[in-house]
Amino acid sequence: QVQLVESGGGLVQPGGSLRLSCAASGSIFSIYVVGWYRRAPGKQRELVATITSGGSTNYADSVKGRFTISRDNTKNTVYLQMNSLKPEDTAVYSCNAKARGDLNYWGKGTLVTVSS
């Protein structure tokens, strides 16, 4: 089992920055990719960014150049640095971990609101 806890959401003005954290515990040795997803009001959940156990990253076109995903293995934490935030970035951001054995884990999510 893997437990994921997100933090760092909040209210920010357009153009501002936030850093989200996803802290993992449990059988973290089995995780091979961690991703951030978001669900905006009235929309389907979409992939924001992923990072593999080897450090390879992938981003949605809508956040390239503005968001950065990274990991701190000493803290078992994956971060999402979000810069130049736009109102359309408003969503609940959730952390996902895929583990060996086709296992899929989700955190509860953290709300990001971009508004003036």
Side-chain angles (χ1 to χ4, degrees), residues 29-89:
F29 59 88
S30 65
I31 297 172
Y32 59 88
V33 63
V34 175
W36 283 99
Y37 290 73
R38 67 185 181 186
R39 188 192 298 269
K43 295 187 177 181
Q44 290 189 332
R45 184 170 60 200
E46 63 173 349
L47 174 67
V48 176
T50 60
I51 186 165
T52 69
S53 56
S56 297
T57 59
N58 184 54
Y59 297 92
D61 287 343
S62 58
V63 306
K64 279 181 183 175
R66 300 188 298 124
F67 291 12
T68 302
I69 190 169
S70 62
R71 62 193 299 155
D72 184 339
N73 291 332
T74 65
K75 297 181 179 179
N76 298 327
T77 300
V78 171
Y79 302 99
L80 185 68
Q81 178 66 43
M82 306 186 295
N83 299 328
S84 302
L85 282 161
K86 305 174 181 180
E88 51 264 43
D89 294 317

